[in-house]
Amino acid sequence: MVPAPHERVLPPGADRPGQPVAVGPAEAGEAPAAAALERLRALVDRAGVVAADAGVDLGGGFRSARIEGGAGNRRDGMLAALRVLGAEPLGAPAAVSVALFGIEATKPLGAAAARAVADGRWAALRFAVAAAEVLGPEQLVRLLEVTGTEAARAPEALGPEQPVRLLEVTGTEAARAPDAEHRPGGDGDDADPFPDGLPSVVGEHLRQVLEAVPRARRPRLLLSLWDGVCAHLEARRRTRRRRETQARVDRRDDLRARYEVHSDDEIVDAVRRSLRREPSVADAARWSIPQTYRHQRATGVLHDCLAATVLLRLAVSVADTGTAAALVRHRDEITAAGALLDEPAVRLATRAVPGLTGLPARPGVILRGLERRLRHPSRDDDAFVRNAIANARAYGRLALEHADDLLYEMTDEPDGRVRKIAERWAARSMDDWREKAGPLCPGRAAGWWQPPLFATAESPSIGHRIARGEPVRETIGDLVWLAELGDALARLGGDSAAVVEYGRVPQIVYDVPAAEESPLAPRWDSIALVAGGTAQLAGLAGLRDGAPAAAAARRARGWGELISVLQGEAAVVEALTGSFALPDAILAADGAVLPGGGERIEIALTPRRTAEWGAYMGNCIGAQWHTADALAGRAFLVAVRTEDRILLNADLRPTARGWRIQQLRARFNQDPEPELAERFRAWVATLPPPPDPGRPRATEPPAPRHAPEPARQRRGRVRTPAGRISAEHAAALGSLADSAVRSEPVAAAVSLLARLTDGTAGDGVAAMTALRRMSPAALVRAVAAALEAGDPAAGPAAGRAAGRAAGPAGPAAGPAVGPARDGDGLTAGQVWLAGGVRPLGGVLADYGVAELAPLALDEPLAGALRTVAKAPGVAEARTVEVVSRRVRRAAGTLLRGGSPVLAGRRPEGIGVAMLCACALAVTSWAGPGVAVAGPRRVTVPGFPASALHDEDGPWQAAWPDAVELGADRDVFWERIAEHGLLVPAAWVGAGGWVALWTRAHRQH
């Protein structure tokens, strides 16, 4: 507002943008003015600075207001003041309604808003105020009026003539913000789906997103936005409650030490029972483990897993539903698991051991105590149960660890008496346990594809048997109980189920890593964050009427689907590439400390960084207009942050007089703290002036009068990212790359690679260009032909088999490559050497510019790098590098196919690096090859000694080369556990692995 001539503004001299002030009669005395200022300070302290926009009556003829330029508007101020003061001090109901919802507000809408205020549904009201930008008053009335109707749950039930109104459903059970007051461990702040952000800003974001969507479809999208945030908050609270049931200190190490003593006690007790007296050392030495003890030990591990699963499930239910309901729900499981231990086992597991934890060694003991509590309940059941489940996760992880060791030990046993005992144990039925406890994870068995323990080829998994409709008798060897334990651990950590890696023994991953998300993926922590992130996507995708993205957005059935549509737009993907054109004055500030405090200044170097900022801040700093200006050098985006959060974002613009702050905002586009904002403005004032390419620097001497004046560059001309990268790096990088290509090692490798052509391409660059144009299948045939020609002992049959190794593509897949000419063949060692030359990669590693790294990869380049890739020197080095990488992959294809020219005889010139890389690759593929070290062995035979897991040894050093061959590193250790280290059979020869290893070392 603008003060009238007869009014004055308090305090005098107020001029800071967004500063709260009091406006009143100029003739008012000092006492009324002081009282008005005191009431203004009280209002701001209680409701925030934005509440001053509400025009609150401060007494003495004064009312609140704000200096222009602050974040928020009268709508935000009215809502903030309404929550603190109520409606009466803010004016007539109609005026309040218009202030909140605009001039289209109706009396029914005002009455509905008043009822929402009376019910304390502030999140719904804030959402309705924001949605007033895109919905009509009737729709808003329905949202604030109707609660719990079937129509609100099923939007399609109303038909196209009566679209579901957004405010109609925020009061329903499905859409209402979860009431944390009635949930164990809940808290009100975490339950609010709209805790932060100004409704006016969120409304603008909603308008940007929904502008191209028909009004009739908007309520459905907004409802799904509300439901999605509420569901995310509920899942987060549920996860927190579940984790809070566990002790703050992980007792797994203490329990492991206690269990080891318990295992010793068990075997001593078994000796004592066998001899019927206290055993001596000699008795123990003569004692042989009986069949009953092996069976008892395996059964004990199974029982611990079952008991730990029940304990974990009880902990999850206590967090979700409370203690009383959890005990009723799991009564049968608790009783069944407690009965698995007899009294002697309980005494052994609870024996006090000096220096060790007082917790029982086995989880079944805790369940026996809970079972007694079920028979004799008392008032302190909640405290008793929560203390009992406090270490459920530690017991579960330890039980899973013991089961893993037991199953590997059993499957490693050779044929004989001990293995027969294990097979009989695995064949035992689980029917008795299921009758008492039931399936702990319904549906898990139907999707369980792990073959039974000691399975043959004719032994399908229980999941396959169920799918075929066969009668199913679950046995211990089906290992469904192991999956149930993993699922219980995963659910306690907040996941729905564990991830299983099937193998000889299944590996259970219960701490499921979160999927990596795009920096543009909106955060579902609040309405404001999702709306801001989606608006950023909409700006990048060009979402407006007539745009390609608009048609897909109109078809979206929910907010999540709308986000997916926008993320798939090419413009959004391209927005994450490139880098900003930054002057030295701005670049030098990156990482500096803001004067007057400990905050750090961060400069946006790429669009990806601004996208990450926008996702956290709930604003559009990564939107198309900001990104375009920053890429063109017209804007420079800055953040001030601490270690864990961003405090403000700023948009700096270069001008003739210095740097101008275009925008300065805190999270959710609110005003930053005044003291922080002042310190930031003071820092900006100290920056060197922007460079003016049209003027000589003041430090440069003036040009002589007789010299022609250089032509002035046109102001505003800005290089594209491709032009900037080329101008800054093409010449220097080209010179270094040219030197690398001309170096002796690379030149020698190029001469070897030239032998892979048919002889018409010549040498050097022409040969490399010809090889680069070959199809993968043709290059494989060329490598095979060169290897055949390089080995005089190879016959025609070997050549024909090598040609077949290229796959079914046949001669039409590329230029025909016949046997190499005399002297043009290659040995395996030469192919390895030629496939390992990296002239451009070495130069880029020394050059140290991260954005140029993709030049060394055999992948399509982004537009900004294509110009520098064509620069003299760089183009030749890149061609050599790409061809070298493809030759390495071709060798891997021959190796994997068991081609006789490579895997069919001992290679000539093979060194340690090639031998290690090929062995790693063949092992990860599970052949073809023979084992040179036993299963689960990490020490490799031969001299000098080596180990597969030695970080400084040759095996770990060979992994990058092995991956280039096509090795699968993720499954390597699983293959080692299955069959040990493999090499091609023909390589081992008569002298065996030791001779091959020694011979490879002699090549150095």
Side-chain angles (χ1 to χ4, degrees):
M1 70 179 187
V2 179
H6 61 277
E7 292 181 325
R8 63 169 170 162
V9 177
L10 300 177
D15 61 354
R16 190 180 70 240
Q19 181 178 355
V21 295
V23 180
E27 67 277 6
E30 292 302 320
L37 282 177
E38 184 60 32
R39 294 188 186 100
L40 176 65
R41 280 192 291 270
L43 174 66
V44 170
D45 289 343
R46 294 179 62 191
V49 173
V50 72
D53 264 333
V56 177
D57 184 3
L58 301 176
F62 286 91
R63 60 195 183 281
S64 65
R66 283 206 302 161
I67 302 295
E68 186 180 7
N73 57 22
R74 179 169 170 77
R75 177 177 296 181
D76 303 310
M78 185 64 72
L79 191 57
L82 182 64
R83 186 164 190 174
V84 172
L85 304 176
E88 186 174 352
L90 301 179
V96 174
S97 181
V98 170
L100 290 178
F101 300 107
I103 60 174
E104 294 183 355
T106 59
K107 286 184 178 180
L109 179 55
R115 284 190 290 273
V117 170
D119 295 341
R121 291 189 288 119
W122 292 104
L125 183 59
R126 287 165 61 83
F127 192 38
V129 171
E133 292 282 348
V134 293
L135 296 182
E138 182 187 353
Q139 295 169 315
L140 299 174
V141 170
R142 294 292 185 91
L143 172 61
L144 288 172
E145 283 291 334
V146 182
T147 59
T149 64
E150 287 301 318
R153 288 182 178 274
E156 63 278 3
L158 294 180
E161 295 80 11
Q162 292 182 313
V164 176
R165 310 311 185 191
L166 175 65
L167 289 179
E168 184 178 8
V169 293
T170 55
T172 67
E173 194 66 29
R176 184 192 299 272
D179 187 358
E181 200 178 342
H182 302 291
R183 294 184 178 274
D187 81 51
D189 291 338
D190 201 21
D192 188 352
F194 203 158
D196 297 305
L198 299 171
S200 63
V201 174
V202 175
E204 176 61 22
H205 291 161
L206 295 178
R207 187 193 61 75
Q208 293 173 26
V209 175
L210 299 178
E211 189 174 22
V213 177
R215 184 176 289 267
R217 298 187 62 87
R218 293 175 185 175
R220 182 192 299 271
L221 292 173
L222 291 171
L223 169 61
S224 67
L225 167 61
W226 177 275
D227 284 345
V229 172
C230 290
H232 174 80
L233 294 178
E234 172 58 26
R236 190 170 65 184
R237 286 196 307 279
R238 182 172 60 246
T239 298
R240 188 189 67 242
R241 292 195 303 267
R242 290 178 178 181
R243 291 176 177 173
E244 286 175 350
T245 63
Q246 301 304 290
R248 294 185 178 181
V249 179
D250 188 358
R251 306 294 297 277
R252 187 167 54 143
D253 291 339
D254 296 338
L255 287 172
R256 185 184 291 110
R258 178 66 185 88
Y259 187 83
E260 290 173 357
V261 173
H262 174 267
S263 298
D264 294 343
D265 291 344
E266 268 191 329
I267 197 166
V268 170
D269 189 62
V271 176
R272 187 182 291 117
R273 290 198 307 270
S274 175
L275 299 177
R276 298 182 181 179
R277 66 171 185 273
E278 195 65 29
S280 65
V281 175
D283 290 334
R286 287 191 294 268
W287 186 72
S288 60
I289 300 176
Q291 174 179 344
T292 55
Y293 174 76
R294 296 182 188 276
H295 189 277
Q296 173 188 337
R297 174 172 169 265
T299 303
V301 171
L302 169 65
H303 288 174
D304 286 349
C305 288
L306 298 177
T309 303
V310 173
L311 200 60
L312 287 161
R313 285 167 51 81
L314 178 62
V316 170
S317 292
V318 167
D320 290 351
T321 63
T323 301
L327 289 176
V328 172
R329 178 180 181 183
H330 298 284
R331 176 185 294 271
D332 293 342
E333 300 170 25
I334 294 171
T335 302
L340 296 175
L341 294 184
D342 55 19
E343 286 302 328
V346 172
R347 288 194 297 271
L348 204 62
T350 55
R351 183 176 72 87
V353 180
L356 296 182
T357 179
L359 294 171
R362 302 181 64 184
V365 176
I366 296 176
L367 291 172
R368 285 174 66 91
L370 287 171
E371 193 271 335
R372 287 194 298 271
R373 197 74 174 199
L374 288 172
R375 295 198 304 268
H376 306 287
S378 67
R379 293 182 178 179
D380 61 342
D381 277 348
D382 182 71
F384 181 86
V385 172
R386 289 185 179 274
N387 183 63
I389 63 176
N391 295 291
R393 179 176 170 85
Y395 278 114
R397 294 172 68 187
L398 195 62
L400 194 62
E401 181 181 305
H402 293 156
D404 192 62
D405 291 342
L406 173 73
L407 297 176
Y408 270 116
E409 180 183 320
M410 284 181 168
T411 54
D412 283 344
E413 281 291 341
D415 290 337
R417 183 176 64 87
V418 175
R419 189 178 179 91
K420 293 295 183 185
I421 295 171
E423 291 176 352
R424 285 197 294 273
W425 174 81
R428 287 179 56 195
S429 172
M430 293 286 291
D431 289 347
D432 184 58
W433 167 255
R434 295 303 179 196
E435 287 176 7
K436 296 176 180 177
L440 303 186
C441 295
R444 173 50 103 169
W448 183 243
W449 312 118
Q450 172 68 28
L453 209 61
F454 308 112
T456 63
E458 294 78 25
S459 303
S461 68
I462 190 171
H464 286 104
R465 301 200 300 270
I466 292 174
R468 296 173 186 172
E470 300 176 2
V472 176
R473 174 180 172 272
E474 183 189 347
T475 65
I476 296 175
D478 285 320
L479 303 181
V480 177
W481 51 272
L482 198 65
E484 291 177 335
L485 175 55
D487 287 345
L489 280 165
R491 279 196 288 270
L492 187 63
D495 295 307
S496 58
V499 175
V500 181
E501 299 175 1
Y502 295 110
R504 179 165 56 109
V505 173
Q507 298 301 302
I508 309 296
V509 182
Y510 50 84
D511 285 329
V512 183
E516 184 177 355
E517 292 187 345
S518 164
L520 287 175
R523 297 161 60 116
W524 287 84
D525 296 339
S526 73
I527 295 288
L529 283 174
V530 182
T534 313
Q536 180 171 254
L537 285 172
L540 293 172
L543 184 61
R544 59 187 180 277
D545 282 333
R554 283 193 289 267
R555 292 193 298 269
R557 291 169 294 180
W559 202 271
E561 187 176 335
L562 175 63
I563 290 173
S564 299
V565 167
L566 296 177
Q567 284 179 322
E569 288 297 310
V572 175
V573 178
E574 291 174 1
L576 297 181
T577 62
S579 59
F580 296 146
L582 299 169
D584 294 340
I586 296 295
L587 276 174
D590 191 24
V593 175
L594 184 67
E599 303 88 357
R600 184 166 53 85
I601 295 169
E602 189 173 65
I603 307 297
L605 306 178
T606 64
R608 179 176 289 271
R609 175 63 53 83
T610 58
E612 293 169 352
W613 290 354
Y616 172 79
M617 298 291 281
N619 59 29
C620 293
I621 195 169
Q624 190 176 37
W625 52 90
H626 279 121
T627 300
D629 286 349
L631 286 171
R634 295 189 295 269
F636 306 102
L637 307 178
V638 184
V640 175
R641 64 178 305 153
T642 61
E643 288 299 324
D644 57 347
R645 60 195 181 99
I646 302 173
L647 303 178
L648 63 81
N649 284 141
D651 179 349
L652 300 185
R653 303 281 172 145
T655 69
R657 296 183 179 86
W659 298 96
R660 175 169 58 87
I661 301 177
Q662 179 82 359
Q663 275 191 332
L664 186 63
R665 289 288 182 260
R667 200 175 189 195
F668 304 112
N669 275 351
Q670 299 194 60
D671 291 326
E673 292 293 330
E675 187 270 340
L676 178 64
E678 288 301 323
R679 286 196 286 120
F680 181 79
R681 290 189 179 96
W683 171 77
V684 171
T686 65
L687 290 175
D692 186 348
R695 298 179 182 176
R697 295 178 182 268
T699 55
E700 296 175 354
R705 292 187 178 182
H706 61 273
E709 183 179 355
R712 290 178 61 87
Q713 297 183 18
R714 186 176 55 180
R715 297 191 66 179
R717 180 175 176 271
V718 181
R719 287 196 182 104
T720 63
R724 179 185 62 81
I725 293 175
S726 179
E728 293 179 0
H729 305 295
L733 189 62
S735 176
L736 295 173
D738 184 67
S739 299
V741 172
R742 295 176 184 275
S743 65
E744 184 176 348
V746 177
V750 168
S751 66
L752 293 175
L753 291 169
R755 299 183 189 181
L756 299 176
T757 66
D758 58 3
T760 62
D763 296 329
V765 176
M768 296 304 99
T769 303
L771 290 171
R772 188 172 179 178
R773 292 173 178 170
M774 279 188 181
S775 68
L779 188 58
V780 170
R781 289 197 297 273
V783 173
L787 285 170
E788 180 187 12
D791 184 0
R800 288 193 297 271
R804 289 194 299 271
V817 180
R821 297 167 296 165
D822 293 340
D824 282 352
L826 295 174
T827 65
Q830 289 173 325
V831 169
W832 184 260
L833 174 65
V837 64
R838 301 290 183 267
L840 188 56
V843 167
L844 289 172
D846 295 335
Y847 198 70
V849 178
E851 64 181 335
L852 299 177
L855 288 170
L857 303 179
D858 185 12
E859 297 175 356
L861 294 176
L865 292 177
R866 291 173 188 165
T867 303
V868 73
K870 298 175 183 177
V874 178
E876 292 80 1
R878 175 169 164 78
T879 297
V880 173
E881 181 126 358
V882 168
V883 170
S884 179
R885 290 178 181 273
R886 293 178 182 179
V887 167
R888 181 64 58 83
R889 287 200 296 271
T893 301
L894 293 172
L895 186 66
R896 189 166 193 168
S899 171
V901 298
L902 185 58
R905 54 179 177 267
R906 178 174 292 184
E908 292 296 326
I910 187 172
V912 174
M914 178 181 177
L915 179 57
C916 291
C918 292
L920 294 174
V922 171
T923 303
S924 74
W925 301 328
V930 296
V932 297
R936 307 186 75 180
R937 301 286 184 181
V938 296
T939 301
V940 182
F943 181 83
S946 63
L948 297 175
H949 64 297
D950 183 4
E951 294 293 337
D952 299 323
W955 297 98
Q956 288 296 317
W959 266 115
D961 292 331
V963 170
E964 286 190 350
L965 288 171
D968 187 352
R969 191 167 187 172
D970 293 337
V971 302
F972 175 74
W973 291 110
E974 182 180 332
R975 300 288 186 256
I976 289 294
E978 290 178 4
H979 47 60
L981 186 68
L982 302 180
V983 296
W987 290 17
V988 177
W993 163 256
V994 174
L996 177 64
W997 182 246
T998 303
R999 186 176 179 183
H1001 276 274
R1002 290 175 184 165
Q1003 299 294 326
H1004 288 292

